[in-house]
Amino acid sequence: MNRKISHLGIAVKDLAASEQLFRKLLGAEDVHHEEVDDQGVRIASFKVGESIIELTEATRPDSAIAKFIDKRGEGIHHIAIEVDDVASELTRLKSEGIQLIDETPKQGAHEMMIAFLHPKSTNGVLVELCQRG
Ligand code: ZN
């Protein structure tokens, strides 16, 4: 199973302001913008080596990002691990006793299929599995 860190998701209140900040931090020109309606988020992402830093702003109050910021403030929201096959990883992890948020993969940003694991099972870290295509 091929794995790498696909991206780090950072929850932000003001995407435009955070984008300016991260442009400075990373000295980056290239920014990818995307809106994922399903999850009620708008993102700006920067390539950092083989990984991506993904700034995520809520587009509606019931979005998971809005709830996260209400509870914990801005900051690192999730770590995404790229795998070859999200569905089979979900089956494997479930059999290992890991609690899942998503029982089946769903459409995410960057044309990836994604699924989240429950932070209760993973040391308080929200983990996303993702797969290309
Ligand atoms: Zn993500």
Side-chain angles (χ1 to χ4, degrees), residues 64-82:
I65 292 294
K67 290 178 191 160
F68 177 89
I69 289 176
D70 281 349
K71 228 163 105 183
R72 299 171 63 170
E74 293 180 297
I76 292 183
H77 176 256
H78 65 274
I79 295 178
I81 313 280
E82 185 176 328

Side-chain angles (χ1 to χ4, degrees), residues 7 54 78 128:
H7 60 273
E54 187 177 274
H78 65 274
E128 172 188 334

Side-chain angles (χ1 to χ4, degrees), residues 2 4 8 10 12 21 28 55-56 68-69 75 82 96 101 118 125:
N2 180 34
K4 65 172 189 174
L8 293 178
I10 299 177
V12 304
L21 172 64
L55 306 175
T56 308
F68 177 89
I69 289 176
E82 185 176 328
E96 300 274 5
I101 291 177
H118 202 290
V125 177

Side-chain angles (χ1 to χ4, degrees), residues 2-7 50-51 80-83 132:
N2 180 34
R3 293 163 204 275
K4 65 172 189 174
I5 293 181
S6 160
H7 60 273
E50 279 196 40
S51 302
I81 313 280
E82 185 176 328
V83 299
R132 284 171 198 279

